[in-house]
């Protein structure tokens, strides 16, 4: 009996051990679920394009360089520089003279030998020489200049067909486009550097009269007047200036756009001077501060403060308060955008203004006028007189004073001269237009004397002599 009970106890104990082992080692463990909130991953747009440099697609500048380097010349400006006064000068009345040589670059633009360069390269030159890439040297004739755009036109005579560079449409040049600067920096002839167009319509003067192409192609002293070309070897601009505190290149250089340069030299060749088409508005570029001040929502464009009397803009119906948003399908964000395009136009050309008025945009065609105002020395701003202006002062001819020179305004007012008075003669030459005034001033005597005849506010004719 005792054996039977022992056997039963041992069997029960074995069963318990077997069941525990199954639970511990054989039965599959079930996971414990914990509720969590799922966060969506942040999506960042990523390009899958291989960014390793593909040498087959790398820009090749060799063709553009070969097509342009022979058409860019070395320009030398020989002038005389007065030295310090010596004892010999005091006794014999002579001045010490020392030769001064300035250097720059130029671009041949046709087979006839016309060369475009910068005005500042040839300023005060007594003799201009041009050296080709093949070391041939020519004496150059100065055909004309335009200090406003810093462009000058030269000509050389050669019995050979000269290499030249064709003009590109600088309006089509894009920011980020590859360009080459070709010139003669530091008298290192036939130098080519590469970069991209960094910006367009840059105004360095703050007067809203300039409109440069900015590039990061290396440009240094001596590059002035040289070529800025695209990868096809076409002329995009004339290298003109650098922005630097050291005088050498630090990453910013500027070129006159080819469209402006081409128009200037065409005017010089055809008319002898530059023909400027005048729109006839005054205003300023919009930004957040200006927009808030004048109560408009637009922050881009030109806000018109004033429309000039009898101008093309006034005749076309442009009004004060209009906002110019574009011109000839070119977007206008700042004044240099507008100036740059107008500098490619002539009097009687028609431009299409995109104008925002009362929340609606419309296109207004404007015929550009000839510049009929001129700043006369000592006097101030003058313009062609209308018949009503002449009638008021009982004058048969003359030009009208529109603004007095601020430096001499008090003097003129004390003598009864004010806005609206009529100038009838300059240097003893009858004047009927501002062209007459300009010609009279060009023919001014070497003495520097200036003689003016005018009708004052009382209708009295007076003469003034200045030295």
């Amino acid at each position: 009996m005792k054996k039977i009970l022992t056997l039963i106890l041992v069997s029960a104990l074995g069963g318990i051990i077997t069941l525990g082992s199954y639970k511990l080692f054989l039965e599959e463990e079930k996971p414990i679920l914990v509720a969590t909130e799922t966060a969506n991953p942040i999506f960042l747009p990523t390009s899958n394009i291989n960014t390793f440099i593909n040498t087959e697609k790398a820009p090749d500048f060799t063709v553009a360089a070969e097509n342009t380097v022979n058409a860019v010349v070395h320009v030398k400006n020989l002038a005389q520089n007065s030295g310090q006064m010596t004892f010999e000068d005091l006794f014999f009345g002579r001045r010490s003279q020392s030769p001064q040589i300035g250097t720059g670059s130029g671009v041949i633009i046709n087979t006839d030998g016309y060369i475009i360069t910068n005005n500042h390269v040839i300023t005060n030159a007594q003799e201009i020489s041009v050296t080709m890439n093949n070391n041939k040297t020519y004496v150059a004739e100065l055909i004309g200049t335009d200090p406003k755009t810093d462009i000058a036109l030269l000509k050389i005579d050669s019995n050979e067909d000269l290499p030249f560079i064709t003009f590109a449409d600088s309006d089509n040049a894009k920011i980020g486009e590859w360009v080459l600067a070709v010139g003669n920096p530091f008298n290192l002839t036939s130098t080519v550097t590469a970069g991209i167009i960094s910006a367009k319509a840059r105004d360095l003067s703050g007067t809203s009269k300039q409109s440069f192409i900015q590039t990061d192609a290396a440009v240094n002293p001596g590059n002035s007047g040289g070529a800025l070309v695209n990868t096809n070897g076409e002329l995009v601009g004339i290298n003109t200036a650098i922005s630097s505190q050291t005088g050498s290149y630090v990453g910013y250089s500027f070129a006159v756009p080819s469209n402006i340069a081409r128009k200037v030299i065409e005017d010089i060749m055809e008319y002898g001077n530059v023909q400027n088409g005048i729109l006839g508005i005054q205003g300023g570029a919009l930004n957040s501060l200006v927009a808030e001040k004048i109560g408009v929502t637009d922050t881009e464009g030109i806000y018109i403060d004033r429309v000039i009397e009898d101008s093309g803009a006034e005749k076309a119906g442009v009004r004060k308060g209009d906002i110019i948003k574009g011109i000839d399908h070119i977007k206008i964000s700042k004044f240099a955008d507008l100036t740059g395009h107008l500098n490619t136009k002539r009097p009687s050309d028609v431009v299409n203004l995109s104008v925002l008025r009362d929340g609606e945009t419309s296109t207004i065609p404007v015929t550009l006028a000839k510049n009929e105002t001129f700043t006369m020395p000592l006097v101030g701003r003058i313009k062609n007189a209308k018949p009503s202006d002449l009638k008021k002062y009982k004058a048969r001819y003359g030009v009208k004073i529109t603004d007095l020179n601020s430096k001499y305004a008090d003097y003129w007012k004390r003598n009864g001269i004010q806005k609206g008075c009529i100038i009838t003669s300059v240097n003893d030459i009858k004047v009927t237009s501002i062209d007459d005034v300009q010609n009279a001033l060009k023919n001014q005597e070497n003495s520097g004397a200036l003689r003016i005849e005018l009708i004052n506010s009382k209708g009295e004719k007076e003469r003034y002599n200045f030295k």
Side-chain angles (χ1 to χ4, degrees):
M1 188 65 179
K2 187 180 291 186
K3 290 181 179 180
I4 293 172
L5 292 174
T6 302
L7 184 58
I8 292 171
L9 182 60
V10 171
S11 298
L13 184 59
I16 293 170
I17 294 173
T18 299
L19 181 61
S21 298
Y22 172 78
K23 287 286 187 181
L24 182 62
F25 297 104
L26 299 179
E27 187 174 29
E28 182 178 358
E29 181 178 1
K30 294 182 180 180
I32 299 175
L33 297 178
V34 179
T36 61
E37 183 178 352
T38 303
N40 294 325
I42 298 174
F43 174 74
L44 297 176
T46 305
S47 172
N48 294 320
I49 299 175
N50 189 342
T51 56
F52 290 103
I53 296 176
N54 185 341
T55 55
E56 295 180 357
K57 293 184 179 180
D60 183 1
F61 303 128
T62 57
V63 174
E66 290 172 359
N67 291 340
T68 57
V69 71
N70 292 316
V72 176
V73 299
H74 198 185
V75 178
K76 292 185 179 180
N77 168 356
L78 180 62
Q80 294 292 330
N81 182 36
S82 297
Q84 292 182 344
M85 182 73 74
T86 66
F87 283 110
E88 185 181 27
D89 298 329
L90 292 174
F91 281 107
F92 298 102
R94 292 197 295 261
R95 296 275 301 174
S96 297
Q97 300 285 326
S98 59
Q100 179 179 351
I101 299 177
T103 61
S105 303
V107 183
I108 303 175
I109 55 175
N110 63 16
T111 56
D112 294 333
Y114 282 98
I115 297 171
I116 187 172
T117 185
N118 282 145
N119 178 63
H120 74 262
V121 170
I122 52 81
T123 298
N124 298 325
Q126 293 182 331
E127 182 180 311
I128 302 171
S129 67
V130 167
T131 303
M132 307 281 291
N133 194 36
N134 60 7
N135 295 324
K136 289 186 177 181
T137 299
Y138 300 86
V139 174
E141 176 189 1
L142 177 60
I143 303 300
T145 67
D146 180 38
K148 177 184 173 183
T149 55
D150 199 14
I151 292 295
L153 182 64
L154 311 176
K155 190 179 186 306
I156 60 174
D157 292 324
S158 174
N159 296 325
E160 304 174 3
D161 285 339
L162 299 172
F164 64 92
I165 301 178
T166 57
F167 283 88
D169 185 348
S170 54
D171 286 343
N172 291 334
K174 298 186 181 301
I175 296 174
E177 178 181 341
W178 283 104
V179 286
L180 302 181
V182 188
N184 305 280
F186 303 118
N187 288 323
L188 300 172
T189 59
S190 308
T191 297
V192 180
T193 56
I196 63 169
I197 293 177
S198 307
K200 295 175 68 177
R202 286 292 196 210
D203 177 18
L204 305 182
S205 67
T207 62
S208 301
K209 295 181 179 180
Q210 297 177 336
S211 185
F212 289 119
I213 293 175
Q214 179 183 331
T215 174
D216 64 353
V219 169
N220 279 291
N223 271 113
S224 291
L228 186 72
V229 300
N230 58 24
T231 52
N232 295 324
E234 300 166 330
L235 192 65
V236 175
I238 299 297
N239 296 316
T240 298
I242 59 176
S243 179
S244 170
Q245 294 180 339
T246 64
S248 298
Y249 174 77
V250 293
Y252 305 96
S253 55
F254 304 89
V256 177
S258 59
N259 286 1
I260 295 177
R262 183 177 68 239
K263 186 262 181 183
V264 168
I265 61 172
E266 287 175 350
D267 282 356
I268 291 174
M269 293 170 71
E270 185 172 353
Y271 304 103
N273 54 40
V274 178
Q275 305 289 301
N276 294 312
I278 305 301
L279 183 62
I281 61 102
Q282 292 180 352
L286 289 172
N287 56 38
S288 295
L289 293 177
V290 174
E292 183 179 359
K293 183 177 180 180
I294 63 179
V296 299
T297 57
D298 285 75
T299 57
E300 287 186 316
I302 305 300
Y303 181 82
I304 299 176
D305 273 330
R306 179 189 172 198
V307 180
I308 306 301
E309 181 184 3
D310 295 327
S311 66
E314 184 189 55
K315 293 175 181 177
V318 178
R319 302 177 189 170
K320 176 182 178 181
D322 286 349
I323 298 174
I324 300 176
K325 304 292 289 183
I327 182 170
D328 292 339
H329 306 294
I330 297 173
K331 181 181 178 182
I332 300 298
S333 298
K334 52 187 180 296
F335 223 105
D337 294 326
L338 183 63
T339 302
H341 189 68
L342 291 176
N343 282 343
T344 67
K345 301 297 180 181
R346 298 181 177 89
S348 300
D349 285 350
V350 177
V351 296
N352 291 296
L353 293 184
S354 177
V355 172
L356 180 65
R357 180 188 297 168
D358 299 328
E360 295 185 0
T361 302
S362 61
T363 299
I364 302 177
V366 179
T367 300
L368 301 180
K370 184 178 180 181
N371 186 11
E372 295 185 346
T373 65
F374 173 69
T375 300
M376 185 175 175
L378 301 177
V379 178
R381 202 77 178 164
I382 62 174
K383 67 176 294 186
N384 293 335
K386 296 189 295 186
S388 57
D389 298 324
L390 297 175
K391 183 178 180 181
K392 179 180 178 180
Y393 286 87
K394 297 179 181 180
R396 292 183 291 109
Y397 56 85
V399 294
K400 176 183 176 181
I401 299 174
T402 59
D403 288 292
L404 292 172
N405 184 316
S406 58
K407 185 176 181 180
Y408 304 102
D410 290 340
Y411 167 81
W412 289 117
K413 289 176 182 178
R414 285 197 304 269
N415 287 275
I417 309 301
Q418 60 188 19
K419 294 180 183 180
C421 287
I422 302 296
I423 296 175
T424 56
S425 172
V426 175
N427 291 336
D428 301 322
I429 298 174
K430 183 177 85 171
V431 294
T432 61
S433 68
I434 62 171
D435 290 337
D436 291 340
V437 174
Q438 290 173 316
N439 290 331
L441 293 174
K442 286 180 183 178
N443 297 328
Q444 192 170 331
E445 297 177 1
N446 294 331
S447 63
L450 176 63
R451 297 178 299 280
I452 303 173
E453 184 178 271
L454 51 74
I455 301 175
N456 63 21
S457 57
K458 297 179 181 179
E460 302 167 338
K461 186 172 288 189
E462 295 184 345
R463 290 181 62 89
Y464 293 86
N465 296 314
F466 300 95
K467 288 187 177 181

